């Protein structure tokens, strides 16, 4: 009997004695490949830390002491966490400005502008940029932006003493290990999103006021406060907490803007009355903004644009805007924000000169005002538009800033040269010493304008040099990792062909025997020798351990491919001997697969592609079914309508608006879908087009009331959505009994599917109902409807495959009186893969990505809606909250994978073989994303490109984990026994 395998037709001639041996070999190979795949993707994911996320921190530089008198004796830094620039500067609905004191400062005392943050716009990276002057060491993300993976210098380190009060997540980062500091934080329990968090800002001010009051009775404290180079840092968290909980358009958030303005006024009056020497500088800013939906993290202007107001000692007074546009002399490191953009008219500040800065520029500004050395790792540029100094002192300040950045460049150059066998220097700075000498000569000649120009040029070159060494190994690593991915995909294809397909003649058996005897040893010896040479070179260059891992993984995989040389050669001879129609069919499959995967790549930036995809697929699939099976079966119409229904969701905004009524209605929709599925499971089994997926046992179910209990829990979860949200909105707190009930409903409902009947439709229906309560409780809007729509499409997929299976059996029956050959099967219930089976992993990839992007752009950090978790927890707990958000994201994935597992059982194809094809498809996309990663342009573009690569790489790993998890629910699914017996009946 001929079977259309991936490589065509063959008559199986494997002897019975060889079958167990072959099966054992396949099992061992599968386990080995899964382990290898997890390790490979984990290692290659880490490559982005070496290519793009390598720590910018180096040690061993000398401090650059400024050669000018400090204009200020002390400095106050006020950071309003999560304060958007527009909400700070714009008036309210009555025309009154929310920050009257700081507006008065802008108009009469100091300078203002917008500070541009760089993604990730999170609290820790923002504060590091402000206080230490560099963009966060990316390895800190592995510690939740909390602990310092590498110790770094900051303005606080250089101060004589630092006083700080605020959040337990921020203040200890900078003061926890600082001996010359006085600091305190409130407990984590104070950060409750169900309350008005402005009291946290009052707490910080009260602590500082108490300190000043105590100094009148404490001579030691009084002396400490009177010394120079004193820094006061108040971290005001209220806007961030209120923005997350109530949105930045809420009255609570907007009132918090007034609170921080009032605190700034009280701090100013308190210190001016305390010191009476006009030697205090004040800086008011924010670490990041807040998106309209109450989140932050990405590069949207609402997150990156923060207010900056500077006044006091050493700060220029306001200037009117002159006819000549203010030139943007601020040099840029990597971000490409537009500085000094037109000021919105509603701010009523367009007549006052505005000076925008990069967020990291604030650190050298603080150092200059206090006359301190700049933090040694700072990449900020001193914004001269803020400082009020003599022309000679301005040049000296810029020169000190330049030397500090140049010292970093020289240190990185020295480290790289000492490690490299083939060192390539940064040529533009080959004569940096002569440029420094020239600047000194110009200073001696009092040609300050020329000295300033040359200093700024040298600083710009030093920043470019830092970037050069930051990406020194980029091309080498990219080439090696790309080769590694290609080798992995080739090896994966070879395994699928050998283990899960029919091959012509005895290629597999013969080539395996020959390979084991001769070819394997030579290839492995060559691979080991080559790896030894590479390891020695890497060791001599003192390369990081991961470099060895990248090279070792790639060389190992190519060695394994060389082991298959004779098999590949025989395969090539076979393909050359086939008819042209077969080769065209094979190429067409490859082209179609690549086109689909390329569309999925572009869908990461354009979600509307899914809308067109499901509109077209729904129409084509229904027409195809209409020609194959009777229209009155209802299946063609059902497939078309469900695809079109799902297509609507990728047209909706990624920022999900609150709509609890829609969530409640979704609960009703889920129950209706469940009831329909239950009725079909019991009544439609006699229909030949539902044959095999319905409950075929007429015996009494194990748990007769299970369906009713699951439907009750779905309805109860809808009620709890209403009760929890209403109570929290009115009382500003989450009731304990509501919280406990929500946890119980979510947890208990996910256990119940394990006790359902093991028919395909009945089990999937139970899984759908079981995961609905936790998803509804974590929903705030239209994503709850998406859950039902996705479930309907998954049923449509199963019905489509079941119809194809029926048509295939009918065709086989009419073409031949023989039943399907037993040799077409790998094992009792699993057949060989065919060319047409490639549609299964491709469909899975589309649905898996729709589950990912169906209700928003989850490639962006800001797409996670934190208010989704407020029915379970309101007290700030980043890891628990993140866990709940990720779990919500995983629920649609679980549905897709359960449907995928059920289809592999229905079609009797090897699930692990299909899994390897899924990995293959994922890695085609991963390689594309790897090449789309950018190291130029805005940080939003860079961050998105890296997150896309990371998502696809991680997808391969967590698909495996989800397969293991969903296997708990799907392992005992039984296909209707007649579906297999039909091979004989037909």
């Amino acid at each position: 009997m001929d079977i259309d395998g991936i490589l065509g037709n063959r008559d199986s001639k494997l002897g019975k004695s060889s079958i167990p041996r072959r099966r054992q070999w396949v099992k061992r190979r599968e386990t080995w490949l899964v382990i290898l795949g997890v390790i490979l993707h984990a290692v290659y994911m880490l490559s982005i830390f070496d290519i793009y996320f390598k720590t910018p921190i180096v040690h061993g530089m000398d401090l650059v002491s400024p050669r000018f008198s400090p204009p200020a004796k002390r400095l106050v830094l006020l950071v309003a966490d999560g304060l958007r620039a527009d909400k700070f500067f714009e008036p309210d609905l009555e025309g009154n400005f929310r920050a009257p004191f700081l507006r008065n400062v802008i108009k009469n005392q100091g300078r203002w502008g917008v500070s541009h943050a760089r993604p990730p716009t999170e609290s820790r990276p923002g504060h590091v940029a402000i206080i230490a002057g560099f963009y966060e060491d990316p390895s800190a993300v592995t510690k939740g932006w909390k602990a310092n993976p590498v110790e770094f210098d900051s303005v606080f380190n250089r101060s004589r003493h630092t006083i700080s009060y605020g959040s337990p997540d921020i203040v200890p980062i900078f003061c926890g290990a600082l001996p010359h500091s006085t600091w305190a934080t409130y407990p984590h329990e104070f950060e409750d999103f169900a309350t008005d968090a402005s009291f946290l800002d009052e707490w910080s001010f009260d602590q500082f006021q108490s300190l000043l009051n105590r100094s009148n009775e404490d001579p030691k404290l009084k002396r400490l406060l009177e010394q120079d180079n004193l820094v006061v840092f108040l971290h005001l968290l209220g806007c961030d907490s209120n923005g997350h909980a109530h949105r930045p358009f809420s009255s609570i958030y907007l009132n918090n803007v007034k609170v921080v303005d009032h605190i700034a006024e009280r701090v100013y009056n308190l210190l001016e009355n305390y010191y009476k020497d006009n030697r205090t500088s004040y800086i008011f800013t924010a670490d990041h903004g807040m998106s309209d939906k109450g989140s932050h993290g990405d590069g949207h202007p609402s997150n990156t644009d923060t207010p900056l107001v500077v006044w006091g000692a050493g700060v220029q007074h306001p200037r009117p805007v002159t006819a000549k546009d203010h030139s943007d002399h601020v040099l840029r490191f990597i971000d490409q924000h537009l500085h000094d953009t037109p000021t919105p008219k509603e701010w009523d500040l367009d007549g006052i000169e505005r000076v925008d800065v990069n967020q990291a520029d604030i650190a050298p500004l603080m150092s200059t005002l206090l006359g301190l050395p700049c933090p040694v790792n700072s990449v900020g540029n001193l914004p001269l538009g803020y400082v009020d100094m003599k022309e000679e002192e301005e040049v000296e300040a810029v020169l000190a800033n330049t030397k500090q950045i140049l010292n970093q460049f020289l240190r990185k150059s020295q480290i790289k040269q000492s490690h490299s066998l083939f060192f390539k220097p940064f040529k533009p700075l080959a004569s940096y010493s002569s440029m420094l000498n020239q600047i000194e000569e110009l200073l001696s000649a009092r040609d300050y304008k020329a000295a300033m120009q040359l200093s700024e040029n040298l600083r710009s070159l030093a920043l470019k040099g830092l970037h050069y060494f930051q990406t020194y190994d980029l091309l080498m690593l990219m080439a090696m990792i790309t080769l590694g991915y290609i080798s992995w995909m080739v090896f994966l294809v070879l395994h699928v062909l050998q283990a899960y397909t029919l091959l012509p003649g005895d290629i597999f058996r013969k080539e395996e025997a020959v390979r084991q005897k001769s070819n394997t040893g030579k290839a492995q010896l060559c691979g080991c020798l080559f790896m030894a040479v590479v390891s020695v070179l890497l060791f001599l260059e003192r390369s990081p351990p991961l470099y060895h891992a990248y090279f070792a993984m790639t060389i190992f995989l190519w060695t394994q491919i060389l082991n298959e040389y004779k098999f590949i050669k025989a395969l090539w001879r076979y393909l050359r001997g086939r008819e042209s129609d077969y080769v065209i069919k094979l190429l067409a499959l490859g082209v179609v697969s690549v086109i689909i995967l390329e569309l999925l790549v572009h869908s990461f930036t354009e979600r509307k592609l899914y809308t067109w995809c499901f509109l077209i697929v729904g129409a084509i699939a229904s027409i195809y079914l209409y020609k194959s099976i009777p229209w009155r079966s209802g299946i063609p119409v059902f497939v078309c309508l469900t695809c079109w229904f799902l297509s609507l969701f990728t047209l909706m905004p990624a920022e999900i608006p609150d709509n609890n009524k829609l969530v409640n209605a979704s609960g009703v929709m889920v129950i209706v879908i469940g009831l329909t599925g239950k009725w079909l499971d019991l009544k439609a089994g006699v229909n030949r087009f539902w044959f095999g997926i319905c409950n075929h046992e007429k015996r009494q179910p194990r748990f007769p009331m299970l369906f009713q209990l699951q439907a009750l829990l779905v309805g109860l979860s809808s009620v709890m959505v209403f009760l929890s949200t209403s109570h929290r909105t009115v009382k500003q707190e989450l009731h304990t009994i509501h919280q406990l009930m929500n946890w119980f409903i979510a947890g208990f409902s996910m256990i119940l599917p394990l006790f359902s009947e093991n028919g395909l439709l009945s089990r999937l229906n139970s899984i759908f109902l079981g995961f609905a309560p936790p998803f509804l409780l974590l929903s705030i809007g239209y994503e709850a409807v998406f859950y039902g729509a996705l479930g309907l499409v998954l049923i449509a997929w199963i019905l489509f495959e079941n119809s194809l299976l029926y048509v295939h059996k009918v065709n086989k029956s009419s073409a031949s009186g023989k039943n399907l050959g037993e040799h077409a099967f790998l094992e009792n219930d699993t057949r060989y893969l065919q060319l047409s089976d490639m549609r299964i992993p491709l469909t899975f990839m589309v649905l898996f990505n729709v589950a990912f992007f169906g209700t928003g752009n989850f490639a962006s950090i800001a797409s996670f809606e934190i208010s989704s978790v407020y029915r379970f927890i309101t007290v700030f707990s980043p890891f628990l909250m993140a866990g709940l958000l990720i779990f919500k994201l995983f629920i649609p994935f679980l549905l897709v994978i359960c449907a995928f597992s059920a289809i592999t059982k229905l079609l009797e194809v090897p699930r692990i073989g299909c899994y390897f094809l899924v990995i293959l498809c994922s890695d085609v996309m991963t390689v594309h994303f790897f090449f789309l990663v950018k190291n130029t342009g805005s940080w939003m573009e860079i961050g998105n490109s890296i997150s896309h690569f990371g998502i696809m790489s991680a997808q391969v790993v967590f698909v495996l984990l989800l397969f293991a998890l969903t296997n708990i629910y799907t392992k005992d699914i039984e296909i209707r026994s007649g579906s297999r017996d039909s091979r004989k009946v037909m």
Side-chain angles (χ1 to χ4, degrees):
M1 197 338 266
D2 291 333
I3 296 297
D4 181 24
I6 284 183
L7 292 180
N9 304 332
R10 71 160 268 195
D11 295 322
S12 180
K13 296 180 180 179
L14 291 176
K16 292 183 178 180
S17 61
S18 66
I19 291 177
R21 201 164 57 246
R22 169 187 169 83
R23 196 174 300 159
Q24 204 173 35
W25 174 84
V26 170
K27 291 291 184 185
R28 286 200 306 267
R29 188 76 168 267
E30 286 173 350
T31 304
W32 179 77
L33 266 179
V34 167
I35 295 172
L36 179 64
V38 172
I39 294 173
L40 177 137
H41 288 93
V43 170
Y44 283 176
M45 274 184 66
L46 293 174
S47 68
I48 62 173
F49 288 92
D50 285 316
I51 297 174
Y52 300 100
F53 282 164
K54 183 180 292 186
T55 174
I57 299 175
V58 289
H59 298 287
M61 293 84 69
D62 295 328
L63 293 173
V64 179
S65 300
R67 299 182 299 192
F68 56 86
S69 301
K73 191 174 180 181
R74 65 198 69 85
L75 181 139
V76 177
L77 174 63
L78 304 172
V79 178
D81 200 309
L83 177 58
R84 278 170 56 157
D86 57 346
K87 299 305 171 191
F88 175 78
F89 290 118
E90 69 185 16
D92 57 22
L93 295 176
E94 298 176 356
N96 300 318
F97 291 98
R98 302 185 183 98
F101 169 73
L102 290 171
R103 286 187 64 84
N104 181 66
V105 167
I106 291 171
K107 292 185 174 182
N108 301 300
Q109 286 182 265
R111 303 285 273 163
W112 78 286
V114 171
S115 170
H116 297 277
R118 216 174 72 170
T121 43
E122 303 288 345
S123 293
R124 177 194 162 102
H127 283 88
V128 169
I130 293 169
I131 299 168
F134 70 93
Y135 298 104
E136 176 65 295
D137 176 6
S139 58
V141 72
T142 61
K143 299 191 177 183
W145 299 118
K146 295 185 181 299
N148 297 335
V150 181
E151 289 304 321
F152 54 83
D153 193 19
S154 71
V155 175
F156 295 176
N157 291 31
R158 300 294 124 219
S159 69
R160 195 178 301 275
H161 198 86
T162 294
I163 298 170
S164 179
Y165 298 105
S167 167
D169 295 320
I170 298 299
V171 172
I173 293 173
F174 302 95
C175 299
L178 197 64
H180 55 277
S181 65
T182 301
W183 59 278
T185 65
Y186 40 77
H188 277 289
E189 292 73 26
F190 280 24
E191 300 176 33
D192 190 342
F193 289 128
T195 63
D196 181 352
S198 59
F199 77 95
L200 300 176
D201 302 341
E202 296 288 354
W203 183 94
S204 298
F205 172 77
D206 292 342
Q207 294 295 312
F208 178 58
Q209 186 178 39
S210 299
L211 182 76
L212 291 184
N213 292 337
R214 288 201 312 273
S215 69
N216 294 323
E217 302 173 0
D218 187 343
K220 184 178 179 181
L221 180 58
K222 185 79 170 177
R223 288 194 300 272
L224 184 147
L225 293 173
E226 288 178 346
Q227 61 189 355
D228 60 356
N229 294 337
L230 179 70
V231 176
V232 177
F233 169 46
L234 297 186
H235 177 245
L236 311 175
L237 185 64
C239 287
D240 183 74
S241 295
N242 284 328
H244 285 314
H246 311 288
R247 308 293 191 277
F249 289 96
S250 66
S251 58
I252 294 177
Y253 179 91
L254 298 177
N255 181 70
N256 210 145
V257 180
K258 300 177 182 178
V259 171
V260 295
D261 176 75
H262 188 44
I263 288 176
E265 180 180 15
R266 285 185 286 168
V267 168
Y268 173 73
N269 293 331
L270 192 66
L271 288 174
E272 292 303 306
N273 292 330
Y274 187 89
Y275 288 109
K276 299 183 176 65
D277 60 357
N278 296 322
R279 294 291 304 281
T280 307
S281 298
Y282 301 87
I283 295 179
F284 177 90
T285 188
D287 54 345
H288 56 74
M290 184 72 62
S291 72
D292 291 346
K293 62 177 184 174
S295 61
H296 53 83
D298 65 11
H300 191 274
S302 63
N303 289 328
T304 60
D305 291 357
T306 62
L308 177 61
V309 182
V310 186
W311 75 100
V315 181
Q316 289 188 27
H317 282 70
R319 290 182 187 174
V321 175
T322 58
K324 182 180 179 182
D325 292 332
H326 178 66
S327 61
D328 179 16
H329 67 273
V330 179
L331 302 175
R332 301 164 184 165
F333 186 40
I334 293 179
D335 64 331
Q336 297 294 318
H337 283 100
L338 294 176
H339 289 223
D340 304 298
T341 53
T343 302
K345 290 185 178 180
E346 60 268 21
W347 292 7
D348 194 25
L349 293 171
D350 48 352
I352 304 174
E353 188 180 60
R354 162 183 166 184
V355 184
D356 284 11
V357 300
N358 288 327
Q359 194 171 60
D361 299 341
I362 298 174
L365 174 61
M366 290 192 291
S367 297
T368 299
L369 292 173
L370 290 172
L372 297 173
C374 288
V376 294
N377 296 115
S378 170
V379 294
N381 300 279
L382 174 63
L384 286 174
Y386 284 89
V387 296
D388 183 18
M389 301 169 71
K390 298 177 183 177
E391 187 178 13
E392 177 185 359
E393 292 177 331
E394 283 186 356
V395 179
E396 289 287 0
V398 172
L399 181 58
N401 183 202
T402 300
K403 288 181 177 178
Q404 169 263 320
I405 295 173
L406 183 63
N407 282 350
Q408 289 184 75
F409 163 79
L410 294 175
R411 179 59 179 159
K412 286 195 173 186
S413 178
Q414 178 189 358
I415 293 172
K416 183 55 68 175
Q417 186 172 6
S418 65
H419 293 173
S420 298
L421 297 175
F422 311 101
F423 177 69
K424 295 180 181 178
F426 184 65
K427 294 181 179 178
L429 279 178
S431 57
Y432 74 91
S433 56
S434 63
M435 296 176 71
L436 286 174
N437 293 333
Q438 189 177 353
I439 294 171
E440 294 294 343
E441 291 173 2
L442 291 171
L443 283 172
S444 300
R446 298 181 182 276
D447 188 352
Y448 300 127
K449 186 175 181 180
M452 177 70 76
Q453 183 66 44
L454 194 57
S455 296
E456 290 180 344
N457 290 342
L458 180 58
R459 181 174 62 184
S460 177
L461 288 175
L463 288 171
K464 290 178 181 177
L466 284 177
H467 182 62
Y468 171 79
F469 285 113
Q470 192 72 16
T471 58
Y472 187 85
D473 297 325
L474 184 142
L475 289 177
M476 176 195 69
L477 291 175
M478 287 187 72
M480 186 54 51
I481 288 162
T482 302
L483 284 172
Y485 274 117
I486 292 173
S487 63
W488 163 252
M489 289 188 287
V490 171
F491 191 56
L492 212 54
V493 169
L494 293 176
H495 172 71
V496 171
L497 294 178
Q498 292 176 343
Y500 310 111
T501 66
L502 287 169
L503 295 174
D506 293 326
I507 284 182
F508 176 82
R509 179 167 53 85
K510 292 179 179 179
E511 295 304 328
E512 180 189 16
V514 174
R515 181 179 67 249
Q516 288 179 344
K517 291 180 180 178
S518 59
N519 203 41
T520 303
K522 294 179 181 178
Q524 290 180 348
L525 179 61
C526 292
C528 290
L529 290 174
F530 184 58
M531 186 60 223
V533 173
V534 172
S535 296
V536 170
L537 292 175
L538 292 174
F539 180 77
L540 292 175
E541 289 202 344
R542 302 181 190 175
S543 298
L546 277 176
Y547 283 32
H548 293 262
Y550 305 146
F551 278 86
M553 192 71 69
T554 302
I555 294 171
F556 172 77
L557 284 168
W558 282 110
T559 302
Q560 296 302 310
I561 292 172
L562 284 176
N563 285 344
E564 309 290 343
Y565 168 73
K566 290 190 178 295
F567 173 77
I568 296 171
K569 187 177 179 181
L571 185 60
W572 174 251
R573 284 199 304 266
Y574 170 76
L575 290 174
R576 288 179 63 184
R578 289 303 300 264
E579 297 178 358
S580 58
D581 290 347
Y582 178 76
V583 177
I584 292 173
K585 186 178 179 182
L586 197 60
L587 290 175
L589 177 66
V591 170
V592 170
S593 299
V594 170
I595 290 174
I596 292 173
L597 295 175
E598 286 300 303
L599 288 174
L600 291 179
V601 168
H602 291 290
S603 71
F604 273 63
T605 53
E606 188 54 62
R607 293 169 59 231
K608 292 180 182 179
L609 284 173
Y610 290 113
T611 298
W612 289 105
C613 171
F614 280 97
L615 286 175
I616 295 170
V617 168
I620 293 175
S622 62
I623 293 172
Y624 180 83
L625 288 177
Y626 175 69
K627 293 181 177 180
S628 304
I629 63 176
W631 187 269
R632 56 187 171 80
S633 67
I635 294 175
V637 175
F638 178 76
V639 170
C640 183
L641 293 180
T642 54
C643 287
W644 287 2
F645 182 33
L646 188 64
S647 70
L648 299 175
F649 291 91
T650 45
L651 291 175
M652 295 182 182
E655 296 183 356
I656 302 172
D658 287 352
N659 193 334
N660 285 319
K661 292 181 179 178
L662 195 58
V663 178
N664 295 331
S666 300
V668 177
M669 183 182 75
V670 168
I671 294 173
V672 170
I673 294 172
L675 281 169
T676 306
K678 182 69 173 176
W679 180 83
L680 289 171
D681 186 37
L682 296 175
K683 304 296 184 181
V686 295
N687 189 316
R688 62 185 181 276
F689 304 110
W690 295 75
F691 198 81
I693 69 172
C694 293
N695 188 7
H696 56 280
E697 301 290 346
K698 299 302 181 182
R699 66 181 183 222
Q700 182 71 15
R702 289 180 296 172
F703 299 94
M705 300 298 292
L706 180 64
F707 174 81
Q708 290 84 340
L709 178 59
Q710 288 191 287
L712 175 64
L713 288 174
V714 174
L716 193 57
S717 65
S718 296
V719 173
M720 292 308 301
V721 165
F722 172 76
L723 291 177
S724 301
T725 306
S726 301
H727 187 274
R728 188 177 62 83
T729 303
V730 175
K731 301 292 185 179
Q732 296 295 311
E733 64 178 358
L734 177 63
H735 203 292
T736 304
I737 188 64
H738 293 166
Q739 186 178 15
L740 293 174
M741 286 188 67
N742 292 339
W743 280 105
F744 172 77
I745 292 170
F748 184 60
S749 65
M750 291 186 292
I751 300 173
L752 295 180
L754 297 173
F755 303 98
S756 65
E757 298 303 305
N758 54 12
L760 189 149
L761 186 58
S762 57
R763 175 57 60 88
L764 291 183
N765 192 39
S766 182
I767 293 171
F768 174 75
L769 291 172
F771 282 95
F775 195 83
L776 291 175
L777 289 168
L778 288 167
S779 297
I780 62 169
Y782 74 81
E783 79 271 35
V785 185
F786 170 78
Y787 180 85
L790 180 64
L792 290 172
V793 166
L794 293 175
I795 291 298
W797 183 24
I798 293 171
L799 289 174
F800 181 84
E801 294 291 348
N802 194 51
S803 300
L804 290 185
L805 182 64
Y806 170 78
V807 171
H808 174 73
K809 289 175 180 177
V810 170
N811 292 339
K812 284 288 183 182
S813 176
S814 60
S816 173
K818 301 178 182 178
N819 56 325
L820 295 179
E822 60 178 355
H823 297 305
F825 288 78
L826 282 163
E827 297 178 7
N828 292 334
D829 298 333
T830 309
R831 64 169 171 80
Y832 283 98
L833 288 173
Q834 303 173 13
L835 268 177
S836 57
D837 291 328
M838 190 64 194
R839 72 183 183 278
I840 301 171
L842 287 173
T843 305
F844 172 82
M845 289 296 297
V846 173
L847 290 172
F848 197 79
N849 281 275
V850 165
F852 206 62
F853 290 102
T855 56
N857 179 15
F858 286 103
S860 168
I861 299 171
S863 290
F864 290 94
E865 179 52 67
I866 196 169
S867 63
S868 299
V869 306
Y870 290 166
R871 299 184 190 108
F872 291 93
I873 182 173
T874 57
V875 176
F876 182 65
S877 177
F879 290 104
L880 180 56
M881 287 179 166
L884 287 170
L885 288 170
I886 293 171
F887 175 68
K888 175 190 175 183
L889 179 65
F890 275 12
I891 290 176
F893 296 159
L894 293 171
L895 295 186
V896 174
I897 292 179
C898 286
F900 176 83
S901 300
I903 284 173
T904 58
K905 288 197 173 191
L906 178 68
L907 302 182
E908 300 170 332
V909 294
R911 189 174 77 149
I912 190 69
C914 290
Y915 166 70
F916 286 135
L917 290 176
V918 167
I919 290 182
L920 182 65
C921 294
S922 297
D923 284 334
V924 171
M925 296 175 63
T926 303
V927 172
H928 191 145
F929 280 126
F930 188 69
F931 281 105
L932 290 179
V933 171
K934 297 181 179 180
N935 61 356
T936 58
S938 73
W939 240 91
M940 180 179 180
E941 294 171 328
I942 296 171
N944 281 345
S945 65
I946 292 175
S947 69
H948 293 164
F949 168 69
I951 286 170
M952 280 311 304
S953 298
Q955 191 176 98
V956 176
V957 178
F958 69 65
V959 163
L960 176 66
L961 298 177
L962 290 176
F963 264 104
L965 178 61
T966 56
N967 193 52
I968 299 172
Y969 294 96
T970 61
K971 64 182 178 181
D972 57 346
I973 287 180
E974 291 182 2
I975 307 302
R976 188 163 185 173
S977 58
S979 66
R980 291 189 182 90
D981 296 339
S982 63
R983 292 200 295 273
K984 300 176 181 178
V985 173
M986 295 292 181

